[in-house]
């Protein structure tokens, strides 16, 4: 049997990483910060040594999971960030896309929840840089849409309320196994109609 090529090794590595990340998100939803590498290995149907080869501890794994989730969250809302339309339309579209992504991709929900919790479950200062990137790439562009679109007296407070609503709705659906029943359009319409009524 001939040795694997670099391309084959890269493909295997990518497949393993995807398995590990998907399993880590699922285990995190079940156990939170108490997850262990062994739990992830079992969920991914991989040997403990295989997962440990990629991640020496759960904090390294969670850090990668959240950085990856940030990239995917940004990709999900990129059409709004680079598209046309009024600031209000963009803010609503941004919220819909982000909520839809949270439902489809648990790691994005975990990221938003970790940001909302100010990473207080995570040790040390290793998530400060991630938090700064989230602010720059996701939060502040959204705040600007709110500032221009709703003329909010406190756009940061309004943005926080919307993010909190998205996290809360996703959590209810995830933990009650109702993902397929989630009315993304209706939820976002309700949030924005309530906010606009308050701001008048």
């Amino acid at each position: 049997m001939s040795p694997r090529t670099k391309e084959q090794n890269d493909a295997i590595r990518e497949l393993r990483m995807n398995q590990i990340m998907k399993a880590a998100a699922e285990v995190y939803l079940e156990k939170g910060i108490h997850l262990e590498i062994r739990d992830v290995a079992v969920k991914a149907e991989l040997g403990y040594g295989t997962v440990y080869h990629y991640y020496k501890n759960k904090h390294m794994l969670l850090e990668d999971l959240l950085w990856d989730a940030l990239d995917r969250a940004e990709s999900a809302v990129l059409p709004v960030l680079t598209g046309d339309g009024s600031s209000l339309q963009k803010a609503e579209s941004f919220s819909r896309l982000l909520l839809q992504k949270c439902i489809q991709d648990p790691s994005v929900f975990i990221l938003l929840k970790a940001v909302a919790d100010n990473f207080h479950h995570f040790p040390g200062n290793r998530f400060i840089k991630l938090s700064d990137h989230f602010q720059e790439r996701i939060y502040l562009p959204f705040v600007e849409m709110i500032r221009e679109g709703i003329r909010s007296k406190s756009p940061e407070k309004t943005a926080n309320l919307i993010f909190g609503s998205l996290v809360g709705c996703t959590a209810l659906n995830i933990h009650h196994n109702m993902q397929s029943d989630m009315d993304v359009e209706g939820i976002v319409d309700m949030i924005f109609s309530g906010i606009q009524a308050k701001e008048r």
Side-chain angles (χ1 to χ4, degrees), residues 58-199:
K58 67 181 181 182
H59 302 298
M60 290 172 65
L61 172 55
L62 288 171
E63 192 170 2
D64 259 15
L65 178 78
L66 294 179
W67 275 105
D68 190 49
L70 176 59
D71 291 340
R72 283 186 276 138
E74 185 178 38
S75 293
V77 298
L78 198 59
V80 175
L81 297 176
T82 58
D84 297 323
S86 74
S87 294
L88 177 58
Q89 289 170 330
K90 289 174 84 169
E92 290 181 4
S93 295
F94 181 103
S95 300
R96 279 188 200 94
L97 290 170
L98 198 54
L99 181 56
Q100 192 66 50
K101 192 65 178 173
C102 282
I103 296 164
Q104 296 166 347
D105 185 343
S107 65
V108 173
F109 164 69
I110 293 165
L111 171 67
L112 289 187
K113 183 153 184 356
V115 169
D117 293 340
N118 203 24
F119 296 97
H120 80 268
H121 291 298
F122 298 91
N125 298 323
R126 69 189 307 147
F127 291 93
I128 289 174
K129 186 176 178 186
L130 175 63
S131 181
D132 290 345
H133 274 257
F134 180 86
Q135 295 285 318
E136 180 186 323
R137 294 161 57 183
I138 304 287
Y139 180 74
L140 292 176
F142 185 63
V143 168
E144 196 53 38
M145 292 173 207
I146 297 295
R147 185 186 323 279
E148 294 174 4
I150 299 177
R151 306 273 183 228
S152 172
K153 297 172 191 133
S154 176
E156 292 84 3
K157 188 174 177 182
T158 302
N160 291 345
L161 184 127
I162 294 169
F163 276 122
S165 299
L166 301 181
V167 168
C169 288
T170 306
L172 282 171
N173 280 273
I174 285 174
H175 296 301
H176 294 277
N177 298 315
M178 298 162 40
Q179 288 95 323
S180 60
D181 298 333
M182 194 165 182
D183 178 11
V184 171
E185 293 285 329
I187 288 167
V188 172
D189 287 347
M190 187 176 5
I191 291 168
F192 276 84
S193 62
I195 287 169
Q196 290 173 80
K198 273 280 199 205
E199 295 296 337

Side-chain angles (χ1 to χ4, degrees), residues 6-59:
K6 181 184 182 307
E7 290 76 19
Q8 288 171 321
N9 283 331
D10 288 346
I12 290 168
R13 177 179 167 73
E14 186 176 346
L15 177 68
R16 290 286 178 263
M17 296 292 283
N18 288 338
Q19 278 179 277
I20 292 167
M21 289 295 175
K22 183 175 184 297
E26 290 174 15
V27 173
Y28 188 90
L29 291 178
E30 295 166 8
K31 297 189 171 193
I33 197 68
H34 302 295
L35 75 78
E36 295 296 337
I37 294 287
R38 287 183 191 282
D39 303 323
V40 175
V42 168
K43 183 71 79 173
E45 299 180 349
L46 294 170
Y48 173 70
T50 301
V51 178
Y52 190 75
H53 171 74
Y54 293 102
Y55 294 103
K56 300 302 178 207
N57 62 59
K58 67 181 181 182
H59 302 298

